[in-house]
Amino acid sequence: MEAVEQIDRIQQEIAEDFSLFEGNKEQSVEYIMDLGMELDPLSEDFKRDEFLIRGCQSKVWLIASKNEGGELIFQSDSNTALTKGLISLLIRVYSGHKPEDIIGSEPWFLEKIGMDQLVGSQRSNGLKAMISRIQEYARSFQNEN
Amino acid sequence: MIETGSIEKIAYDITELRSRFPILGREVNGYPLVYLDNAATTQKPSSVIDSLSAYYKGYNSNIHRGVHTLANEATEAFEKTRKSASEFINAGEKEVVITKGTTEGINLIARTWGEANIKEGDRILVGAAEHHSNIVPWQILAEKVGAAVEPIPLSQEGILDREAFKSMLDESVRLVAINFISNSLGTINPINDLISDAHHNGSIVLVDAAQAAPHIEIDVKAIDCDFLAFSGHKMFGPTGVGFLYGKYDLLDQMPPFIGGGEMIDQVSFNGTSFLTPPLKFEAGTPNIADVIAMDQAFGFVSDIGFDAINKAEKEIVDYSRSRMSKIQGLKEYGTAEEKIAVFSFNLEGIHPFDVGQLLDAKGIAVRTGHHCTMPMMSDLGIEGTVRASFAVYNSMEETEKLWDNVERIQKKYGSS
C-alpha cells in the first residue's frame, strides 16, 4: 500500500471510531481524554521550551526522531488530558511515516469528526499549531537528506 | 419574587425567578444548561432585554441637550438609572458617574485623581488577589509618575491580611485599591476595617465592587470608601454599563477624564470650562440604551432583596462545602467563612481545563484558568483553578448536579 494511502486509511479508521458516538459531545470528549491518558508520558528531559508548541492554551511538547527506515517517530506530552488525546490522534496518523508522505497528507479526519465543535475554538487553534509543528518537523527532516 | 411572610422557609420562588431568564431554558450538548460562570457575566431577565428594544422602538434619541419630546423621554430614563444606582449604593446622585464598566471606572480614577495626586516616591497598595483591572491601571500610573505598586498579602483563608496591611501603611501610601469580594475566590474582605485603617493613615481608598454588587448590600456611606466601581453586566444588566462612585468633593477637585461634548460648560478658543460632576466625566454620547435597560436590573435585584439573596446563597455555600469536603483530592481555594457562592478548586491529578471541558459536555458552564488574577495564582503555585460562580437564579438542583459531576470526574480521572 502507498504510504499516503496508509495515512488516509488510519484517518478513515479514526473517523469510523468517532462515528460510533454520532456527534455526542460527552462521549467524544471522554474518548479523547481516555486516549490521552493511554499515551506514554514524555521524559521530563524533553519538557523544554524548544519542544513546546506555541499557540496552545495548555502546554504541549512534541519531539520527532527518524528511525533506521527513514520514518519519523513522534512523541508528545501535555499537562492536560484532552490535549494529550488530541495529539495522540495526530501521532496515530503521522508517526511511522516518511517526511515526504507526511508533507503530502492533510489531516482531513478532523473536519470529518467535527473536531472544532467538539473541543471549541481555542483548543482547535492549538490543534492547528500541533499540525504545523508536525509539518515543520517533516520539512526539516526532509531537508536533511 | 419574595414570598412575603414565608421568607424563613424559602427565600424566593426559584422556578418563577428562573422563568424570567429566557436563556436558562436552553440546552447545551443535550443537557439543560447549568450556568455557573456568573462571576464573568450574569444572564439577563426579560425585563432588561425588553427595555433595550422598547428604547429603540419607542424613544431613541440623544440625551441631555435636545428640546424635543423623545430627547426628554430618553434623558429622563437615562437619569432614572443614575438615581437607581445611587440608591443602590446609598450615594448622592451627583456622586455617581456612568461608565462602561468597572475597568473604565478604575482607569478614570487612575488618570484623573491619580495623575493629579500620586507623586514620585508614593506607594499604591493593591490586594494580592485583585483582578488585573485593579492592578494594571495603577502600574501604568506608577510608571508615569515614578510611584510604586505593592501587593497586600492574603491570609491562608484568602482574605486580605489586616495585620500585614497595617504594617505596610505609612505616609508614602497615597492610595489603597482593593476588592470588596475576590472574583477568583469569592471571599469577602473585611472592608470596613481596611478602609478605617487606611483613613487613619491618611490614604484614599478605591473599592472594586464588581463581584459584590449582585451578592451583598453595598452602602458607600457606611463603609466610607472614597471611590467605588461596579459593572452592570455582572448584576443582570447589559454589558457596557458601569458605575463609579466618588465622594463629591473628590470628584469636584479632579481634572476631567476624556474631553468632548456632554461634559463642557462653555467652549471657546480662549479656554473651555467644564460641567460639574458627574457629567464632567461623561464626554460623548453614552451607551444610552444599555444604561436605560440597566434600571430594570436594579429593579430586579431590589425586588428580591439582599436578605433573601444572602439566605439562599448561604444554603448553597453550606451544601457545597459539605460536598467538597467529601470529594477526595479536591482542594478549595478561598476557605474564609465570609464568602459568596463562588467556588474555586482543583482536583488532584486533573488539569482544570479538563474538568471544565468534561463539565461542559454535561451542559455545565464553569470558568477555568487564572480568572484575570495571575499574580495570585502564581503566589499559590498553580496555573489556575476551576471556578463555579453562582447567581440568584441557580437552584439547589443545579448545585447538586455540579458536585455530582465533579465527584464523577474525580473518580474517573483523578489521581487518588
Side-chain angles (χ1 to χ4, degrees):
Chain A
M1 194 187 299
E2 289 277 323
V4 174
E5 273 177 38
Q6 211 180 341
I7 291 176
D8 278 344
R9 189 179 51 78
I10 301 167
Q11 298 202 59
Q12 187 60 40
E13 277 171 19
I14 296 173
E16 279 165 17
D17 289 348
F18 274 86
S19 73
L20 297 173
F21 307 131
E22 295 172 335
N24 181 301
K25 183 166 174 173
E26 190 185 350
Q27 290 174 11
S28 309
V29 165
E30 293 199 1
Y31 177 65
I32 298 169
M33 283 187 57
D34 290 344
L35 293 176
M37 294 177 82
E38 285 165 16
L39 189 71
D40 287 335
L42 200 60
S43 150
E44 290 297 318
D45 299 347
F46 292 113
K47 292 185 179 173
R48 299 201 300 262
D49 273 3
E50 56 179 308
F51 301 120
L52 194 64
I53 301 178
R54 311 264 166 227
C56 288
Q57 212 187 16
S58 30
K59 284 183 177 155
V60 185
W61 299 269
L62 180 70
I63 58 167
S65 56
K66 203 190 243 183
N67 66 15
E68 286 171 358
E71 291 145 347
L72 295 192
I73 305 298
F74 294 104
Q75 286 172 281
S76 182
D77 208 341
S78 170
N79 59 345
T80 79
L82 191 94
T83 309
K84 250 177 111 164
L86 292 174
I87 193 94
S88 83
L89 290 171
L90 294 176
I91 289 177
R92 185 165 151 199
V93 171
Y94 289 117
S95 201
H97 295 285
K98 293 199 162 67
E100 56 271 30
D101 299 326
I102 293 170
I103 293 165
S105 295
E106 286 293 318
W108 51 262
F109 76 102
L110 294 169
E111 204 183 318
K112 186 145 189 187
I113 292 171
M115 197 59 93
D116 282 10
Q117 289 76 44
L118 289 178
V119 298
S121 57
Q122 281 185 323
R123 300 269 192 170
S124 222
N125 287 337
L127 198 51
K128 287 192 186 87
M130 296 178 214
I131 296 162
S132 301
R133 179 62 71 93
I134 287 175
Q135 294 290 337
E136 276 166 32
Y137 273 129
R139 280 194 298 274
S140 69
F141 275 102
Q142 192 184 36
N143 292 339
E144 272 182 12
N145 293 340
Chain B
M1 188 85 77
I2 306 169
E3 295 271 312
T4 320
S6 65
I7 202 161
E8 295 309 309
K9 278 179 259 158
I10 41 167
Y12 41 80
D13 179 349
I14 189 88
T15 312
E16 186 281 327
L17 192 137
R18 287 178 67 83
S19 73
R20 295 193 234 167
F21 290 79
I23 202 170
L24 298 179
R26 73 163 279 184
E27 289 195 342
V28 169
N29 302 320
Y31 292 95
L33 166 68
V34 177
Y35 185 77
L36 299 176
D37 193 17
N38 294 288
T41 197
T42 53
Q43 301 302 342
K44 322 302 172 197
S46 294
S47 58
V48 169
I49 301 166
D50 295 346
S51 172
L52 283 169
S53 126
Y55 164 75
Y56 283 120
K57 285 180 182 164
Y59 56 104
N60 170 49
S61 173
N62 213 328
I63 54 167
H64 290 145
R65 289 180 300 270
V67 293
H68 57 80
T69 303
L70 295 187
N72 286 335
E73 286 176 10
T75 303
E76 208 171 295
F78 184 91
E79 289 301 325
K80 171 132 192 315
T81 297
R82 191 190 312 274
K83 187 166 187 296
S84 299
S86 63
E87 286 166 0
F88 189 74
I89 57 170
N90 193 25
E93 272 180 64
K94 290 182 172 169
E95 295 177 314
V96 174
V97 180
I98 293 178
T99 64
K100 284 195 296 194
T102 306
T103 299
E104 190 186 47
I106 296 171
N107 276 276
L108 189 157
I109 298 302
R111 292 280 301 280
T112 58
W113 182 89
E115 288 187 15
N117 291 281
I118 305 275
K119 304 276 184 292
E120 190 176 352
D122 284 348
R123 291 155 70 218
I124 300 165
L125 303 188
V126 303
E130 295 310 309
H131 190 283
H132 296 159
S133 62
N134 201 20
I135 299 175
V136 181
W138 307 119
Q139 289 177 324
I140 293 171
L141 169 67
E143 178 82 10
K144 208 179 278 184
V145 303
V149 177
E150 295 173 20
I152 308 162
L154 294 184
S155 70
Q156 285 290 322
E157 293 77 33
I159 54 171
L160 288 171
D161 184 332
R162 189 179 176 193
E163 289 312 309
F165 172 60
K166 276 162 63 172
S167 73
M168 294 172 82
L169 291 170
D170 65 26
E171 59 188 17
S172 69
V173 177
R174 297 281 294 138
L175 177 79
V176 175
I178 49 179
N179 63 46
F180 203 140
I181 296 181
S182 155
N183 79 302
S184 39
L185 304 175
T187 44
I188 305 172
N189 277 317
I191 207 82
N192 289 27
D193 294 341
L194 298 166
I195 292 172
S196 144
D197 294 340
H199 282 169
H200 272 113
N201 187 60
S203 314
I204 291 287
V205 182
L206 175 140
V207 175
D208 168 358
Q211 295 301 327
H215 292 278
I216 56 174
E217 190 162 7
I218 298 170
D219 182 333
V220 291
K221 292 209 168 70
I223 63 173
D224 195 31
C225 58
D226 301 292
F227 300 111
L228 180 139
F230 66 104
S231 298
H233 75 98
K234 291 193 198 283
M235 55 167 294
F236 319 107
T239 50
V241 182
F243 304 91
L244 171 69
Y245 160 80
K247 284 180 176 163
Y248 190 81
D249 288 348
L250 287 170
L251 291 179
D252 198 34
Q253 289 158 21
M254 278 157 41
F257 179 38
I258 294 169
E262 296 252 3
M263 52 79 79
I264 46 86
D265 176 26
Q266 292 287 326
V267 177
S268 83
F269 286 103
N270 295 323
T272 291
S273 57
F274 307 115
L275 288 178
T276 52
L279 293 183
K280 179 163 91 172
F281 302 104
E282 294 180 14
T285 297
N287 183 1
I288 303 168
D290 291 299
V291 170
I292 289 174
M294 182 64 209
D295 196 44
Q296 299 298 322
F298 283 120
F300 170 76
V301 175
S302 304
D303 280 353
I304 302 166
F306 281 107
D307 284 347
I309 291 174
N310 296 159
K311 187 172 162 19
E313 201 153 13
K314 186 163 182 343
E315 278 181 34
I316 288 177
V317 171
D318 290 348
Y319 172 77
S320 296
R321 283 201 155 147
S322 131
R323 288 295 301 269
M324 280 191 283
S325 69
K326 294 184 189 95
I327 299 174
Q328 227 184 347
L330 184 147
K331 181 164 171 55
E332 185 197 0
Y333 298 92
T335 54
E337 189 58 36
E338 294 287 307
K339 80 174 273 162
I340 58 167
V342 169
F343 307 101
S344 214
F345 63 93
N346 272 327
L347 296 177
E348 203 181 326
I350 321 176
H351 197 281
F353 287 166
D354 288 328
V355 179
Q357 198 95 38
L358 287 163
L359 288 173
D360 176 62
K362 288 275 194 192
I364 303 171
V366 296
R367 179 59 67 99
T368 65
H370 54 63
H371 320 301
C372 296
T373 54
M374 285 168 81
M376 185 188 73
M377 293 296 161
S378 153
D379 284 352
L380 292 169
I382 54 176
E383 285 175 54
T385 66
V386 181
R387 181 187 69 187
S389 55
F390 289 68
V392 65
Y393 44 64
N394 290 120
S395 65
M396 198 47 98
E397 190 190 336
E398 290 180 309
T399 317
E400 273 181 52
K401 211 180 270 186
L402 167 73
W403 299 117
D404 287 350
N405 276 287
V406 170
E407 198 167 70
R408 178 184 63 82
I409 291 167
Q410 193 281 328
K411 280 187 180 138
K412 184 159 181 205
Y413 297 98
S415 60
S416 45

